[in-house]
Structure formats: structure tokens, C-alpha cells
Amino acid sequence: ESFGNARTVRNDNSSRFGKFIEIQFTSSGKLVGATIDTYLLEKVRLVTQSPGERNYHIFYEILEGMPANELRHYFLAKTAGPEDFAMLSSSGVSDRRDGILDKDTYKSLRVAMETMKLSNDEITDIFSVACAILHASNLDFVEAGAQDHEACSLDPDNVHLAPVCHLLGINGEDLNEALCTLHIQAGGGDTVSKSLSKEKAEKGLEALVKTAYGALFQYLVQRINDSIAWKKAQDEEDENENENDATLYRDAPAATIGVLDIFGFESFQTNSFEQLCI
């Protein structure tokens, strides 16, 4: 819910992705595991929200619930709020109407991470990516020269540039090259480089934010599946290492129940391709 749900005009905890859950049972009806497949995470929400809606819960939970000493690790001030980040301040709202506090759901998120057996290093990396995306939403570009509107670069004086690079493990020159220059490989193997305009570089930054968050979300789904899916016990693997019949294993799934949970269609003033797919 933290990474995939958001406040919409109709629902304060709306699931912004579809999911198929397969629940696994033994022949006697004992629940032994489950797997989750997800579909069509609404990534456009990361860069724009309709009036009265929020971005994904996780960003508000970090700002409201994370202790000050941890916030410093991600280059965030204790006084920082949603109004300080472009990706959280465009819709005019930052709270929930259902009475649930982001600082409380942050605590529940940390318990859930521990329950899913995520290591401390994994948790740190997950928050590093999320906070890097927060900082990245405040990056801006400057035109290369007064006469050249088809070339730009990342603003080197932007205070969010260094945190983005540190949290993602990249350097500023490489990030600037990736966002501000287009490389085209010709048929003969030659590479032609072309500078991008400020507008195109901004679109590239939006694409980076959406792609990074989408990859983070899929990683979380994979790790949850690793934790909840049925696995053969090691002693059973040793006893039956030459056998392929699942019935030889104790508590092996013999039947499943599939549950498809789709999300509601949101009709915005301007609908994206994602909305068409939904």
C-alpha cells in the first residue's frame, strides 16, 4: 500500500495498480503460500496529479514518520514537507481525509518490511531510491547559452543534484550526459551526438523518475513473493533430490485460488496512455 496506493478524488487509499494473487493450499486445505503478479502501475502519478489527489503514500510517510537521524542519511531536513518537492506540491493537497496519519502508516511499513525479512541493507537501498526520486523532482536545467535554445545542462547550483547522485551511486557528469545529450548509432557503427533542448531534457528526467520507481516497485513485489511463496524444506530436498513429483513433499501445494484485483478507472482532464491501458 505504501508504494502502490495513493489518495484520489474518490478514495484516500486507492490501489493504483492491478494485481493477481494466487493462494496456495495443500490437498487437505492448509494454506501454505501465495504469489503476486502486478500490472500497470500508474507511473504518470509520479510527475503529475489532478487537483485534490496525492502522489504515492511512501513519500509523505518518509517526510512525516522517518526519524531525524535517518532523514539526514537521505539528505532530508526534519522540517522538510511535501510543499518543498515539485512531485508532491502540484495538486494542492498533502493530507488524507480518512483520519489516517502518514507517521503511523510509516511505522506499519517498517514492521511489514521486517515481517517480509528484508535486510537492513535492502531497506536502506529501498529508501535511498525513494528519496533520490524525491530530490530528482526538484532538479532543473539551464540553457547552454543565450543563443542556443537546443542545448542545456543540469543546473550545477541546484542543492538537490548532489543528493540524487549520492543516493543512486552515480556522478553528476554521467547524469547530465544521459539527460541532456542524445546518442544515435549510425549503420556504419559511428555514433552521432545531439544536444537536447531544455524541454526534452525535462521529459527525460520525468521518464527516469517513472522508470526508477517502476523498477523499485517490481523489486518489492519480487521480494514479497520470495517471502510468502511455498518452498520445499531443505531436509525434504535432500530426501527427494532425484524425484520430480511435488506430491512427495510435505505440505506441497495441490490446489490454488486466484484472486484478480483490478483498480478503478480514473478519468482525468487529460488522460494518458496508461489510462487507456487500464
Side-chain angles (χ1 to χ4, degrees), residues 141 198-208:
F141 299 86
K198 183 178 177 181
E199 179 182 353
K200 291 181 178 178
E202 289 170 348
K203 291 296 183 183
L205 178 60
E206 289 181 359
L208 175 62

Side-chain angles (χ1 to χ4, degrees), residues 12 65 100 131 137 150 203 212 238 261:
D12 273 32
I100 296 177
C131 293
S137 73
E150 289 300 318
K203 291 296 183 183
D238 295 338
D261 179 10

Side-chain angles (χ1 to χ4, degrees), residues 22-275:
E22 190 174 71
I23 309 170
Q24 303 164 331
F25 297 90
T26 65
S27 56
S28 63
K30 178 183 177 182
L31 174 62
V32 291
T35 60
I36 302 172
D37 289 321
T38 61
Y39 310 95
L40 292 171
L41 177 70
E42 190 183 59
K43 289 179 282 190
V44 69
R45 181 171 295 272
L46 292 157
V47 296
T48 181
Q49 306 95 43
S50 297
E53 301 201 347
R54 296 205 315 177
N55 212 313
Y56 288 105
H57 293 327
I58 181 60
F59 301 113
Y60 308 89
E61 292 173 353
I62 289 173
L63 295 175
E64 291 294 326
M66 185 175 282
N69 62 314
E70 289 189 49
L71 285 170
R72 286 193 295 270
H73 180 79
Y74 303 108
F75 304 94
L76 294 170
K78 182 62 179 175
T79 55
E83 67 278 2
D84 298 314
F85 298 93
M87 66 186 300
L88 305 182
S89 59
S90 62
S91 67
V93 299
S94 60
D95 60 346
R96 294 177 60 159
R97 299 158 297 189
D98 55 6
I100 296 177
L101 301 178
D102 292 309
K103 64 180 181 181
D104 294 334
T105 53
Y106 174 81
K107 295 176 182 178
S108 298
L109 168 65
R110 295 304 295 256
V111 172
M113 286 177 155
E114 295 172 5
T115 302
M116 291 295 105
K117 297 181 173 57
L118 292 172
S119 68
N120 289 333
D121 287 343
E122 286 177 305
I123 293 173
T124 298
D125 289 343
I126 289 167
F127 284 127
S128 291
V129 174
C131 293
I133 290 171
L134 260 182
H135 287 291
S137 73
N138 280 2
L139 294 179
D140 58 352
F141 299 86
V142 293
E143 294 181 348
Q147 304 300 320
D148 190 357
H149 299 293
E150 289 300 318
C152 69
S153 64
L154 282 166
D155 182 358
D157 297 325
N158 189 305
V159 296
H160 298 275
L161 180 57
V164 170
C165 294
H166 179 84
L167 292 171
L168 293 181
I170 57 179
N171 64 63
E173 291 182 2
D174 288 343
L175 182 60
N176 187 77
E177 177 77 9
L179 293 175
C180 300
T181 307
L182 174 66
H183 299 285
I184 304 173
Q185 189 166 7
D190 296 331
T191 300
V192 179
S193 298
K194 177 185 177 182
S195 298
L196 295 177
S197 66
K198 183 178 177 181
E199 179 182 353
K200 291 181 178 178
E202 289 170 348
K203 291 296 183 183
L205 178 60
E206 289 181 359
L208 175 62
V209 165
K210 291 189 284 187
T211 301
Y213 193 83
L216 174 62
F217 187 76
Q218 286 303 315
Y219 171 78
L220 289 168
V221 173
Q222 175 189 326
R223 286 294 287 109
I224 291 171
N225 280 335
D226 290 343
S227 180
I228 66 176
W230 177 83
K231 299 180 185 68
K232 295 186 291 288
Q234 186 60 49
D235 59 341
E236 291 179 297
E237 289 184 354
D238 295 338
E239 293 172 7
N240 303 294
E241 60 180 340
N242 296 321
E243 301 290 347
N244 295 320
D245 188 354
T247 59
L248 294 176
Y249 297 103
R250 293 188 298 272
D251 290 336
T256 61
I257 294 177
V259 181
L260 178 63
D261 179 10
I262 62 173
F263 42 13
F265 175 74
E266 300 279 346
S267 182
F268 302 120
Q269 185 173 359
T270 302
N271 289 295
S272 67
F273 179 69
E274 284 182 344
Q275 298 306 119

